[in-house]
Structures are given as structure tokens and as C-alpha cells.
């Protein structure tokens, strides 16, 4: 496709004629192509930002991680109520979600039951001793075991800050 271009005359005549290659239709196509490409990249950018916000919320908000685990990963197996009483970190909920994607429902149910059991025994282990009395004036704390009646008493000397711990059981054997 050729275009004739006239140059060189003020009076309107055409003294110099040049024939250039016209590529206006190609320019028009490129204009629309890059406009569509620009909108496509904006759409991909928006989707990426939404995905980033989703992952950040999943990393830093434990309740959001828990709800994602329940709704997305455990709901197909009917196990969403198994994690209601668990208090885990966001990373642990994320790991459970990845595990749920790769194991069968029966295996995931066993994992959640074992997790509940280990969390319950951990809480019981933290309650090994119960504080009976505290005397701040003499720096004495007395605690007793709920299982076997063992008593523990700690005393701090005011001068050197050394703690003395004494233990006694009901049967006298320690």
C-alpha cells in the first residue's frame, strides 16, 4: 500500500511527490491490541493484589485462618465443627489446610482428634500444681498437686535472692 505525499509548494502545487508506505491500518490494529493488553494487565494486577491481601489476612489473623480452614478445606468432609474449640496460630491453621488438601477425610478426622487430645493433655499438664497461698512479705509461695497431694513451697531469701524449694508429699516420700 502506497501513499503519495506532496511537499514543496506554497501556492498549492505539488512540486515534489514522494511515495511512502502507508501503515495506518497496522497502527490502528496495534492501538486496539495494546489497549486490550493494558486492560488485561490491570485485571491481572487487581487479582494479584486481592490474592496478596487474602494471604496476608490468612497469615496475620488467626480467626480468618480458622474460618478458611473450616469453610474451604474441612466442609467437604463434614469436619468443620472439629476445630471450633482449638486455639492455634495462623501458621498452624494454614498447615492444617494444606494437610486437608492432600489426605483423605478419614485421615484428617484422625489428625484433628489427635490434635484435640494433645491440646487437652497439654492444658491438663499446665494445671499440674495449684497455688494455695502467697505471702509476699516473707517471699513464700505454697502450691499443691491435684493428683497426689504433693506440696511445694518456695522461699526467697531477701539478702541474696536465692530461692529455696522444698517438697513434701502426704506419705512423706519424695
Amino acid at each position: 500500500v502506497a501513499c503519495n505525499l506532496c511537499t514543496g509548494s506554497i501556492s498549492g502545487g505539488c512540486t515534489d511527490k514522494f511515495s511512502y508506505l502507508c501503515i495506518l491500518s497496522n497502527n490502528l490494529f496495534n492501538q486496539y491490541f495494546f489497549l486490550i493488553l493494558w486492560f488485561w494487565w490491570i485485571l491481572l494486577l487487581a487479582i494479584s493484589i486481592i490474592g496478596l491481601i487474602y494471604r496476608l489476612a490468612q497469615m496475620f489473623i488467626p480467626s480468618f485462618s480458622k474460618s478458611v480452614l473450616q469453610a474451604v478445606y474441612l466442609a467437604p468432609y463434614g469436619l468443620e465443627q472439629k476445630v471450633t474449640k482449638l486455639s492455634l496460630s495462623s501458621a498452624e491453621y494454614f498447615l492444617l489446610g494444606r494437610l486437608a488438601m492432600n489426605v483423605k477425610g478419614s485421615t484428617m478426622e484422625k489428625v484433628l482428634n489427635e490434635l484435640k487430645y494433645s491440646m487437652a493433655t497439654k492444658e491438663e499438664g499446665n494445671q499440674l500444681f495449684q497455688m494455695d497461698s502467697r505471702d509476699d512479705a516473707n517471699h513464700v509461695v505454697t502450691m499443691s498437686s491435684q493428683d497426689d497431694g504433693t506440696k511445694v513451697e518456695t522461699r526467697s531469701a531477701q539478702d541474696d535472692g536465692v530461692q529455696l524449694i522444698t517438697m513434701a508429699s502426704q506419705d512423706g516420700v519424695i
Side-chain angles (χ1 to χ4, degrees):
V1 176
C3 295
N4 293 326
L5 184 64
C6 293
T7 59
S9 173
I10 296 177
S11 64
C14 193
T15 58
D16 294 329
K17 274 190 179 178
F18 294 103
S19 180
Y20 289 108
L21 185 64
C22 276
I23 50 172
L24 293 178
S25 62
N26 217 1
N27 285 341
L28 191 61
F29 171 76
N30 285 342
Q31 182 180 3
Y32 287 121
F33 177 77
F34 285 108
L35 180 68
I36 292 169
L37 190 64
W38 184 82
F39 279 121
W40 174 250
W41 283 36
I42 293 297
L43 176 70
L44 290 179
L45 179 67
I47 291 171
S48 297
I49 289 173
I50 291 170
L52 180 67
I53 291 170
Y54 171 77
R55 283 291 181 219
L56 288 175
Q58 205 173 14
M59 284 191 318
F60 294 114
I61 305 171
S63 60
F64 182 75
S65 296
K66 186 177 192 176
S67 64
V68 167
L69 175 68
Q70 286 176 323
V72 176
Y73 301 115
L74 298 180
Y77 304 124
L79 300 173
E80 60 268 9
Q81 297 303 319
K82 294 255 184 198
V83 294
T84 54
K85 294 183 181 179
L86 293 179
S87 61
L88 303 172
S89 69
S90 297
E92 292 166 331
Y93 284 125
F94 183 78
L95 182 64
L96 278 177
R98 295 295 166 232
L99 186 64
M101 286 173 35
N102 294 303
V103 298
K104 296 187 304 186
S106 60
T107 306
M108 193 63 198
E109 186 173 12
K110 290 176 186 176
V111 167
L112 290 175
N113 287 337
E114 185 64 31
L115 186 62
K116 275 179 144 177
Y117 175 74
S118 68
M119 295 288 282
T121 57
K122 182 180 174 185
E123 287 177 8
E124 288 174 7
N126 289 341
Q127 299 297 325
L128 189 59
F129 286 97
Q130 178 180 5
M131 185 181 296
D132 294 332
S133 65
R134 181 182 180 118
D135 183 7
D136 287 333
N138 296 324
H139 303 285
V140 176
V141 176
T142 306
M143 297 179 284
S144 64
S145 172
Q146 297 172 351
D147 297 336
D148 60 359
T150 303
K151 291 203 177 268
V152 175
E153 185 175 286
T154 63
R155 296 176 184 262
S156 294
Q158 293 180 2
D159 297 336
D160 57 3
V162 176
Q163 277 193 333
L164 174 66
I165 300 174
T166 57
M167 295 179 74
S169 65
Q170 289 179 341
D171 58 1
V173 178
I174 293 279

